[in-house]
Amino acid sequence: MLAAGAAKSYCSRSSRPPLPTIQTRVTQQTDRLNTALAGRYRIERHLGEGGMASVYLCEDLKHDRKVALKLLKPELAAVLGAERFVVEIKTTAALQHPHSLPLFDSGTADGFLFYVMPFIEGESLRAKLNRETQLGVEWKREDRCAGA
């Protein structure tokens, strides 16, 4: 049997490396994704994270325009599969409405599943809700008309 101090010392040591921070993971993912998408898109910066995907601001090299690239988190694809994200891609591609953003591209690159849409400059819905907490019907109508 180990003495109390020895047990504490033994338990406090770990042979596992520390988990990477979100910033480290995003940087590693960005580097790998830039390599995988070379010649098509160049990642400029990480825009945000959701439960299922990460979104990046990219330069569409062929068309010289800013785009938003949504990337299924690789760890989710490995555990849950990509079916739900593929359904999201197909649903987005099928939308035909003046107030909906079109799908420009989708595919896989080095195991990454992604899709690409126009990048719209401005405040995120999350930031607006944090600031205002409730949006009126007028804002929704104005926003949709401005985006058309």
Side-chain angles (χ1 to χ4, degrees):
M1 182 146 192
L2 295 173
K8 182 178 179 185
S9 173
Y10 175 77
C11 293
S12 65
R13 283 187 243 142
S14 175
S15 61
R16 291 185 296 166
L19 293 173
T21 64
I22 289 177
Q23 183 60 40
T24 301
R25 185 182 57 77
V26 166
T27 301
Q28 291 169 345
Q29 185 170 283
T30 300
D31 291 344
R32 188 172 151 216
L33 189 57
N34 258 329
T35 301
L37 296 171
R40 294 171 70 186
Y41 302 101
R42 183 180 47 80
I43 297 175
E44 293 189 4
R45 66 184 164 98
H46 180 253
L47 293 173
E49 295 266 332
M52 195 170 139
S54 302
V55 180
Y56 293 89
L57 171 62
C58 297
E59 179 73 25
D60 178 343
L61 300 174
K62 182 177 182 180
H63 301 103
D64 193 27
R65 61 184 173 187
K66 303 286 185 210
V67 295
L69 185 139
K70 187 170 185 177
L71 175 75
L72 177 63
K73 291 181 179 178
E75 60 273 18
L76 282 180
V79 174
L80 302 175
E83 293 79 24
R84 184 173 167 188
F85 197 69
V86 170
V87 168
E88 182 177 334
I89 291 170
K90 289 179 179 182
T91 302
T92 303
L95 291 174
Q96 298 284 323
H97 192 276
H99 305 303
S100 296
L101 296 173
L103 180 83
F104 284 160
D105 189 15
S106 66
T108 58
D110 191 22
F112 290 113
L113 181 59
F114 68 93
Y115 68 91
V116 180
M117 299 177 80
F119 173 71
I120 306 299
E121 190 73 44
E123 181 178 33
S124 71
L125 179 58
R126 170 58 47 215
K128 187 161 185 74
L129 287 172
N130 285 342
R131 191 171 38 79
E132 295 187 22
T133 67
Q134 185 174 3
L135 303 177
V137 174
E138 303 79 32
W139 179 85
K140 292 176 188 172
R141 187 176 359 186
E142 290 169 9
D143 181 56
R144 287 185 296 181
C145 292

